[in-house]
Amino acid sequence: IYTQENLIGTLLAIFGNLLVSISVSIQKQSHVTLAGNKDPRQYYYTKTWWSGLMLMVLGEGALFVSYAFAPLSLIAPLNAVSVISSSILGFVFLREKWKRYILTFLGCALTAGGTYLFVTFGPNSHEKLNAENIVKHVIGWPFLLYLLLGIITFCLVLYFYKQRNANYLVLILLLVALLGSVTVITVKAVSGMIVLSILGPLQLSYPIFYVMFVCMVATIVFQASFLAQASHLYDSSLIACVNYIFCTTFAIVSGAIFYQEFNHEDVLHICMFLLGCAICFLGVFLITKNKRKAKAFEPYVTMDMAKGIPTIHNKGWAVQPDYNGSFSYGALENNDSVTPVTLPVDQDAIKTDFT
């Protein structure tokens, strides 16, 4: 039986993921428009970018509140909704290209089917997250053992990453997932205590709320740092796929251990839930695998037809502009020290022509 709280949490999570994907597409469209029109304004001066930012804030707010109503293991895999909607919006509005359309559509279908399975057979048990229950979970031996193993694993992976220069994507995203497992635990605790304080007895006066809040902010900051490092080394589509699989897996495990979300579920429901997650993983892999890489920016030269001044654009537009009163040719090596130079004019030749 799908409880009313689970339904509210699920709908909020789906709505939040849709808003986030729409906001990202709007902001991306703002950047592309500025580049294509050779607009000198910064992106944060455009109304389009700010409207995308507002939608993102609303979407993240809906996701945050959804953790207070539905089990953690049910909310975390719903990030697949954002993957599907971003792919469709990019194809329709941003004219993004796919390598194999059939496989991409198959990936979307698999992701939608997997989402239906894990939502239908996901855990239904959900307790009131007051301060007393959260403290009980924190000091419980299952979570303490999980936390100890997580810290040891994190330190070992961090050692190989920093000291041995093992810049493998799997290691970087494993660090992100380990931090993410703590993040989702704390997000659910903070969100649950805030909602409970609004609906019932005040929970914000308990120290455990601030402990969870500090841990939430700290882990989010470090996650963003590691993701930024990964984005400089690997393709964004590959990062999105592996990160979704890792973070979802660790979130489900942490929800099962900390909040004991599967204690009252039978074997059939657990197996069908895991099957739905596995199908989602395959679907997300197909979607991100068939997305074409964006072409990197190449420096180019334009010449002002009136003044005869060639200019090297080596760190400007992300999209090379079309012909508009100037012509461009070739691709030069990046050289930040080069400045526009006036072409030399033979004055003697000009005088001879006039005489």
Side-chain angles (χ1 to χ4, degrees):
I1 300 173
Y2 211 65
T3 63
Q4 183 178 2
E5 286 191 345
N6 276 18
L7 180 61
I8 294 174
T10 302
L11 292 177
L12 281 173
I14 293 174
F15 178 70
N17 279 297
L18 286 174
L19 282 183
V20 169
S21 61
I22 292 172
S23 68
V24 171
S25 297
I26 290 175
Q27 290 180 323
K28 191 182 295 185
Q29 178 65 32
S30 175
H31 287 282
V32 171
T33 302
L34 287 176
N37 296 335
K38 298 189 291 186
D39 194 330
R41 292 181 301 167
Q42 296 292 334
Y43 61 87
Y44 45 79
Y45 286 116
T46 61
K47 295 180 180 179
T48 307
W49 186 86
W50 279 103
S51 62
L53 181 63
M54 294 302 297
L55 285 177
M56 180 174 289
V57 171
L58 289 175
E60 294 292 349
L63 283 171
F64 179 78
V65 176
S66 68
Y67 282 95
F69 292 96
L72 173 58
S73 303
L74 188 61
I75 298 299
L78 283 172
N79 287 329
V81 175
S82 181
V83 177
I84 299 176
S85 55
S86 296
S87 180
I88 295 175
L89 289 172
F91 175 75
V92 174
F93 295 105
L94 300 178
R95 300 296 188 267
E96 294 179 350
K97 303 299 181 182
W98 297 335
K99 294 179 181 178
R100 298 178 181 85
Y101 290 91
I102 295 178
L103 289 180
T104 304
F105 284 119
L106 177 61
C108 291
L110 288 174
T111 306
T115 302
Y116 173 79
L117 279 179
F118 72 69
V119 167
T120 303
F121 295 96
N124 288 319
S125 59
H126 182 69
E127 63 179 342
K128 295 293 184 181
L129 295 178
N130 55 36
E132 182 180 353
N133 288 335
I134 293 175
V135 171
K136 181 182 66 175
H137 290 310
V138 169
I139 63 176
W141 71 265
F143 175 69
L144 293 178
L145 179 60
Y146 174 76
L147 188 62
L148 177 62
L149 294 176
I151 292 174
I152 294 174
T153 305
F154 183 86
C155 292
L156 288 175
V157 175
L158 188 63
Y159 169 78
F160 282 104
Y161 173 54
K162 292 294 186 180
Q163 300 299 323
R164 300 288 183 174
N165 293 322
N167 297 326
Y168 301 111
L169 179 63
V170 172
L171 293 183
I172 300 175
L173 295 186
L174 183 59
L175 294 172
V176 175
L178 287 168
L179 290 170
S181 65
V182 179
T183 301
V184 291
I185 289 174
T186 55
V187 166
K188 183 173 178 61
V190 171
S191 176
M193 294 179 74
I194 291 176
V195 171
L196 190 59
S197 297
I198 296 174
L199 300 178
L202 183 66
Q203 303 293 315
L204 307 186
S205 59
Y206 292 94
I208 189 63
F209 172 81
Y210 300 97
V211 171
M212 288 292 184
F213 182 81
V214 171
C215 291
M216 178 185 71
V217 174
T219 52
I220 289 175
V221 170
F222 282 109
Q223 272 186 279
S225 175
F226 284 121
L227 282 174
Q229 295 173 37
S231 65
H232 286 90
L233 299 173
Y234 298 94
D235 180 63
S236 59
S237 297
L238 181 61
I239 294 173
C241 175
V242 179
N243 188 53
Y244 171 75
I245 295 173
F246 277 15
C247 287
T248 301
T249 302
F250 277 87
I252 293 172
V253 172
S254 60
I257 293 175
F258 188 87
Y259 294 107
Q260 301 176 1
E261 294 175 343
F262 291 93
N263 282 7
H264 304 289
E265 302 296 325
D266 55 38
V267 177
L268 177 61
H269 277 72
I270 295 176
C271 290
M272 293 300 293
F273 172 81
L274 295 177
L275 176 62
C277 292
I279 294 174
C280 261
F281 293 162
L282 178 59
V284 170
F285 171 76
L286 290 176
I287 293 173
T288 55
K289 183 68 174 176
N290 287 285
K291 185 177 181 181
R292 286 186 177 178
K293 297 180 181 179
K295 292 183 178 180
F297 170 75
E298 292 184 350
Y300 60 95
V301 174
T302 61
M303 180 175 290
D304 192 317
M305 300 300 289
K307 300 179 181 179
I309 302 176
T311 304
I312 298 177
H313 301 267
N314 52 2
K315 51 183 178 180
W317 313 109
V319 178
Q320 183 167 327
D322 296 327
Y323 174 80
N324 186 16
S326 64
F327 66 90
S328 59
Y329 58 92
L332 303 182
E333 293 182 0
N334 194 352
N335 191 348
D336 293 340
S337 63
V338 176
T339 55
V341 179
T342 303
L343 288 176
V345 179
D346 191 344
Q347 300 293 338
D348 293 334
I350 296 175
K351 291 179 181 178
T352 301
D353 292 337
F354 279 103
T355 58

